[in-house]
Amino acid sequence: MKVSNKEIAAHINKTPSAISYLKKNNYEEYQILKLGVLCKKLNLDNEDLLAMYTLKQIELKKIAS
């Protein structure tokens, strides 16, 4: 699922050009904002993210053993 600069801008009351600038100059912050919008679109909350993280850790343990 894609998240556009326009969608990010709308969620934080900035312009799409401000988001483009952020993407070029502070990519880590841009990625965090993008992830937040993606979570909003997918209706994911903290518990959902924690559950996904836990499942990922279980899978990594299975692969390692």
Side-chain angles (χ1 to χ4, degrees), residues 35 39 44-54:
L35 181 59
C39 287
L44 299 174
D45 61 15
N46 288 342
E47 286 109 26
D48 297 327
L49 295 175
L50 184 57
M52 287 188 286
Y53 174 79
T54 302

Side-chain angles (χ1 to χ4, degrees), residues 6-57:
K6 189 175 182 180
E7 289 175 293
I8 296 170
H11 277 82
I12 62 169
N13 296 322
K14 299 286 183 184
T15 63
S17 60
I19 301 304
S20 293
Y21 179 85
L22 181 65
K23 183 177 180 180
K24 291 176 187 168
N25 294 292
N26 192 343
Y27 192 71
E28 288 179 1
E29 185 177 345
Y30 169 80
Q31 287 289 87
I32 291 167
L33 291 172
K34 185 176 174 181
L35 181 59
V37 172
L38 184 60
C39 287
K40 182 89 169 164
K41 286 175 76 170
L42 295 173
N43 195 29
L44 299 174
D45 61 15
N46 288 342
E47 286 109 26
D48 297 327
L49 295 175
L50 184 57
M52 287 188 286
Y53 174 79
T54 302
L55 288 172
K56 184 176 180 181
Q57 295 306 309

